[in-house]
mmCIF file of all heavy atoms in Angstrom:
data_model
loop_
_atom_site.group_PDB
_atom_site.id
_atom_site.type_symbol
_atom_site.label_atom_id
_atom_site.label_comp_id
_atom_site.label_asym_id
_atom_site.label_seq_id
_atom_site.Cartn_x
_atom_site.Cartn_y
_atom_site.Cartn_z
ATOM 1 N N LEU M 286 -5.189 -10.699 -10.323
ATOM 2 C CA LEU M 286 -5.217 -10.125 -11.718
ATOM 3 C C LEU M 286 -6.675 -10.332 -12.306
ATOM 4 O O LEU M 286 -7.251 -9.307 -12.707
ATOM 5 C CB LEU M 286 -4.226 -10.979 -12.526
ATOM 6 C CG LEU M 286 -4.192 -10.437 -14.051
ATOM 7 C CD1 LEU M 286 -3.470 -8.921 -14.019
ATOM 8 C CD2 LEU M 286 -3.202 -11.421 -14.734
ATOM 9 N N LEU M 287 -7.252 -11.432 -12.041
ATOM 10 C CA LEU M 287 -8.601 -11.592 -12.671
ATOM 11 C C LEU M 287 -9.715 -11.035 -11.825
ATOM 12 O O LEU M 287 -10.914 -10.723 -12.519
ATOM 13 C CB LEU M 287 -8.838 -13.185 -12.888
ATOM 14 C CG LEU M 287 -7.983 -13.786 -13.988
ATOM 15 C CD1 LEU M 287 -8.369 -15.305 -14.147
ATOM 16 C CD2 LEU M 287 -7.895 -12.998 -15.354
ATOM 17 N N MET M 288 -9.547 -10.700 -10.633
ATOM 18 C CA MET M 288 -10.587 -10.155 -9.889
ATOM 19 C C MET M 288 -10.505 -8.540 -9.927
ATOM 20 O O MET M 288 -11.368 -7.848 -9.329
ATOM 21 C CB MET M 288 -10.542 -10.539 -8.371
ATOM 22 C CG MET M 288 -9.512 -9.883 -7.572
ATOM 23 S SD MET M 288 -9.698 -10.177 -5.836
ATOM 24 C CE MET M 288 -9.129 -11.945 -5.625
ATOM 25 N N GLN M 289 -9.518 -7.970 -10.612
ATOM 26 C CA GLN M 289 -9.322 -6.641 -10.643
ATOM 27 C C GLN M 289 -10.558 -5.894 -11.389
ATOM 28 O O GLN M 289 -11.261 -6.517 -12.183
ATOM 29 C CB GLN M 289 -8.067 -6.279 -11.446
ATOM 30 C CG GLN M 289 -6.834 -6.193 -10.689
ATOM 31 C CD GLN M 289 -5.638 -5.743 -11.302
ATOM 32 O OE1 GLN M 289 -5.515 -5.875 -12.455
ATOM 33 N NE2 GLN M 289 -4.758 -5.329 -10.589
ATOM 34 N N LYS M 290 -10.785 -4.699 -11.075
ATOM 35 C CA LYS M 290 -11.810 -3.857 -11.688
ATOM 36 C C LYS M 290 -11.125 -3.182 -12.898
ATOM 37 O O LYS M 290 -10.644 -2.190 -12.958
ATOM 38 C CB LYS M 290 -12.260 -2.795 -10.737
ATOM 39 C CG LYS M 290 -13.638 -2.283 -11.020
ATOM 40 C CD LYS M 290 -14.128 -1.347 -9.831
ATOM 41 C CE LYS M 290 -15.588 -0.945 -10.018
ATOM 42 N NZ LYS M 290 -16.190 -0.363 -8.862
ATOM 43 N N ALA M 291 -11.015 -4.073 -14.023
ATOM 44 C CA ALA M 291 -10.259 -3.675 -15.204
ATOM 45 C C ALA M 291 -10.865 -4.549 -16.339
ATOM 46 O O ALA M 291 -11.339 -5.528 -16.300
ATOM 47 C CB ALA M 291 -8.865 -3.804 -14.963
ATOM 48 N N ASN M 292 -10.556 -3.943 -17.543
ATOM 49 C CA ASN M 292 -10.674 -4.844 -18.700
ATOM 50 C C ASN M 292 -10.063 -6.099 -18.626
ATOM 51 O O ASN M 292 -8.891 -6.272 -18.141
ATOM 52 C CB ASN M 292 -10.343 -4.096 -20.032
ATOM 53 C CG ASN M 292 -11.244 -2.943 -20.298
ATOM 54 O OD1 ASN M 292 -12.414 -2.990 -19.889
ATOM 55 N ND2 ASN M 292 -10.707 -1.940 -21.007
ATOM 56 N N GLY M 293 -10.597 -7.239 -19.124
ATOM 57 C CA GLY M 293 -9.891 -8.572 -19.152
ATOM 58 C C GLY M 293 -9.852 -9.113 -17.709
ATOM 59 O O GLY M 293 -9.230 -9.972 -17.494
ATOM 60 N N ALA M 294 -10.754 -8.497 -16.895
ATOM 61 C CA ALA M 294 -10.750 -9.106 -15.526
ATOM 62 C C ALA M 294 -12.266 -8.992 -15.037
ATOM 63 O O ALA M 294 -13.106 -9.450 -15.700
ATOM 64 C CB ALA M 294 -9.858 -8.276 -14.566
ATOM 65 N N ASN M 295 -12.436 -8.422 -13.818
ATOM 66 C CA ASN M 295 -13.856 -8.431 -13.145
ATOM 67 C C ASN M 295 -14.531 -9.731 -13.097
ATOM 68 O O ASN M 295 -15.680 -9.999 -13.112
ATOM 69 C CB ASN M 295 -14.724 -7.598 -14.089
ATOM 70 C CG ASN M 295 -14.560 -6.144 -13.913
ATOM 71 O OD1 ASN M 295 -14.527 -5.680 -12.745
ATOM 72 N ND2 ASN M 295 -14.396 -5.391 -15.038
ATOM 73 N N ALA M 296 -13.610 -10.810 -12.820
ATOM 74 C CA ALA M 296 -14.156 -12.146 -12.579
ATOM 75 C C ALA M 296 -14.565 -12.339 -11.053
ATOM 76 O O ALA M 296 -13.997 -11.620 -10.204
ATOM 77 C CB ALA M 296 -13.123 -13.155 -12.947
ATOM 78 N N THR M 297 -15.359 -13.398 -10.846
ATOM 79 C CA THR M 297 -15.636 -13.799 -9.491
ATOM 80 C C THR M 297 -14.509 -15.011 -9.269
ATOM 81 O O THR M 297 -14.648 -15.931 -9.980
ATOM 82 C CB THR M 297 -16.981 -14.360 -9.354
ATOM 83 O OG1 THR M 297 -17.916 -13.355 -9.767
ATOM 84 C CG2 THR M 297 -17.272 -14.807 -7.880
ATOM 85 N N VAL M 298 -13.646 -14.821 -8.326
ATOM 86 C CA VAL M 298 -12.607 -15.795 -8.294
ATOM 87 C C VAL M 298 -12.552 -16.549 -7.038
ATOM 88 O O VAL M 298 -12.813 -16.002 -5.871
ATOM 89 C CB VAL M 298 -11.121 -15.028 -8.303
ATOM 90 C CG1 VAL M 298 -10.045 -16.126 -8.363
ATOM 91 C CG2 VAL M 298 -11.109 -14.266 -9.558
ATOM 92 N N THR M 299 -12.378 -17.837 -7.077
ATOM 93 C CA THR M 299 -12.293 -18.681 -6.026
ATOM 94 C C THR M 299 -10.977 -19.391 -6.194
ATOM 95 O O THR M 299 -10.548 -19.847 -7.157
ATOM 96 C CB THR M 299 -13.388 -19.872 -5.977
ATOM 97 O OG1 THR M 299 -14.631 -19.266 -5.883
ATOM 98 C CG2 THR M 299 -13.161 -20.821 -4.674
ATOM 99 N N VAL M 300 -10.180 -19.505 -5.036
ATOM 100 C CA VAL M 300 -8.806 -20.174 -4.980
ATOM 101 C C VAL M 300 -9.002 -21.393 -4.125
ATOM 102 O O VAL M 300 -9.418 -21.255 -2.952
ATOM 103 C CB VAL M 300 -7.751 -19.145 -4.489
ATOM 104 C CG1 VAL M 300 -6.379 -20.046 -4.483
ATOM 105 C CG2 VAL M 300 -7.667 -17.941 -5.327
ATOM 106 N N VAL M 301 -8.585 -22.602 -4.712
ATOM 107 C CA VAL M 301 -8.566 -23.827 -3.851
ATOM 108 C C VAL M 301 -7.164 -24.304 -3.740
ATOM 109 O O VAL M 301 -6.278 -23.969 -4.614
ATOM 110 C CB VAL M 301 -9.525 -24.880 -4.551
ATOM 111 C CG1 VAL M 301 -11.063 -24.531 -4.313
ATOM 112 C CG2 VAL M 301 -9.112 -25.193 -5.919
ATOM 113 N N HIS M 302 -6.843 -25.132 -2.880
ATOM 114 C CA HIS M 302 -5.553 -25.501 -2.527
ATOM 115 C C HIS M 302 -5.580 -26.893 -1.710
ATOM 116 O O HIS M 302 -6.624 -27.410 -1.694
ATOM 117 C CB HIS M 302 -4.793 -24.437 -1.722
ATOM 118 C CG HIS M 302 -5.500 -23.883 -0.451
ATOM 119 N ND1 HIS M 302 -5.757 -24.588 0.632
ATOM 120 C CD2 HIS M 302 -6.234 -22.838 -0.415
ATOM 121 C CE1 HIS M 302 -6.637 -24.026 1.382
ATOM 122 N NE2 HIS M 302 -6.871 -22.789 0.792
ATOM 123 N N SER M 303 -4.367 -27.251 -1.183
ATOM 124 C CA SER M 303 -4.442 -28.622 -0.617
ATOM 125 C C SER M 303 -5.283 -28.804 0.493
ATOM 126 O O SER M 303 -5.650 -30.005 0.985
ATOM 127 C CB SER M 303 -2.970 -29.095 -0.453
ATOM 128 O OG SER M 303 -2.378 -28.278 0.711
ATOM 129 N N ARG M 304 -5.662 -27.804 1.194
ATOM 130 C CA ARG M 304 -6.550 -27.867 2.343
ATOM 131 C C ARG M 304 -7.985 -27.686 2.033
ATOM 132 O O ARG M 304 -8.794 -27.625 3.094
ATOM 133 C CB ARG M 304 -6.006 -26.876 3.461
ATOM 134 C CG ARG M 304 -4.514 -27.098 3.820
ATOM 135 C CD ARG M 304 -4.306 -28.467 4.550
ATOM 136 N NE ARG M 304 -4.851 -28.495 5.842
ATOM 137 C CZ ARG M 304 -4.355 -27.896 6.938
ATOM 138 N NH1 ARG M 304 -3.077 -27.444 6.999
ATOM 139 N NH2 ARG M 304 -4.914 -28.042 8.054
ATOM 140 N N SER M 305 -8.296 -27.490 0.871
ATOM 141 C CA SER M 305 -9.780 -27.145 0.445
ATOM 142 C C SER M 305 -10.651 -28.281 0.585
ATOM 143 O O SER M 305 -10.338 -29.409 0.252
ATOM 144 C CB SER M 305 -9.836 -26.583 -0.918
ATOM 145 O OG SER M 305 -9.104 -25.377 -1.065
ATOM 146 N N ARG M 306 -11.807 -28.081 1.190
ATOM 147 C CA ARG M 306 -12.756 -29.148 1.352
ATOM 148 C C ARG M 306 -13.783 -29.079 0.025
ATOM 149 O O ARG M 306 -13.837 -27.961 -0.448
ATOM 150 C CB ARG M 306 -13.702 -28.937 2.655
ATOM 151 C CG ARG M 306 -13.375 -30.005 3.641
ATOM 152 C CD ARG M 306 -14.163 -29.928 4.855
ATOM 153 N NE ARG M 306 -13.390 -29.246 5.888
ATOM 154 C CZ ARG M 306 -13.814 -28.177 6.836
ATOM 155 N NH1 ARG M 306 -15.065 -27.869 6.601
ATOM 156 N NH2 ARG M 306 -13.023 -27.826 7.623
ATOM 157 N N HIS M 307 -14.416 -30.203 -0.258
ATOM 158 C CA HIS M 307 -15.215 -30.258 -1.339
ATOM 159 C C HIS M 307 -14.751 -29.685 -2.664
ATOM 160 O O HIS M 307 -15.404 -28.863 -3.419
ATOM 161 C CB HIS M 307 -16.608 -29.340 -0.942
ATOM 162 C CG HIS M 307 -17.010 -29.734 0.313
ATOM 163 N ND1 HIS M 307 -17.498 -30.998 0.748
ATOM 164 C CD2 HIS M 307 -17.186 -28.941 1.382
ATOM 165 C CE1 HIS M 307 -17.849 -30.985 1.953
ATOM 166 N NE2 HIS M 307 -17.675 -29.727 2.365
ATOM 167 N N LEU M 308 -13.485 -29.864 -2.972
ATOM 168 C CA LEU M 308 -12.877 -29.363 -4.141
ATOM 169 C C LEU M 308 -13.624 -29.677 -5.386
ATOM 170 O O LEU M 308 -13.818 -28.714 -6.343
ATOM 171 C CB LEU M 308 -11.336 -29.774 -4.316
ATOM 172 C CG LEU M 308 -10.434 -29.138 -5.257
ATOM 173 C CD1 LEU M 308 -9.091 -28.944 -4.647
ATOM 174 C CD2 LEU M 308 -10.479 -29.810 -6.608
ATOM 175 N N PRO M 309 -14.037 -30.896 -5.711
ATOM 176 C CA PRO M 309 -14.730 -31.187 -6.997
ATOM 177 C C PRO M 309 -15.993 -30.280 -7.110
ATOM 178 O O PRO M 309 -16.314 -29.813 -8.176
ATOM 179 C CB PRO M 309 -15.029 -32.637 -6.962
ATOM 180 C CG PRO M 309 -14.031 -33.152 -5.966
ATOM 181 C CD PRO M 309 -13.800 -32.102 -5.017
ATOM 182 N N GLU M 310 -16.725 -30.183 -6.108
ATOM 183 C CA GLU M 310 -17.990 -29.356 -6.008
ATOM 184 C C GLU M 310 -17.726 -27.942 -6.553
ATOM 185 O O GLU M 310 -18.323 -27.328 -7.264
ATOM 186 C CB GLU M 310 -18.722 -29.381 -4.661
ATOM 187 C CG GLU M 310 -19.457 -30.690 -4.470
ATOM 188 C CD GLU M 310 -18.509 -31.592 -3.496
ATOM 189 O OE1 GLU M 310 -17.335 -31.710 -3.859
ATOM 190 O OE2 GLU M 310 -19.209 -32.203 -2.699
#
Side-chain angles (χ1 to χ4, degrees):
L286 188 62
L287 295 182
M288 75 167 81
Q289 277 183 335
K290 203 166 185 171
N292 288 335
N295 282 313
T297 304
V298 181
T299 303
V300 179
V301 293
H302 45 76
S303 68
R304 306 292 293 272
S305 296
R306 257 184 251 137
H307 313 302
L308 190 144
E310 285 91 323

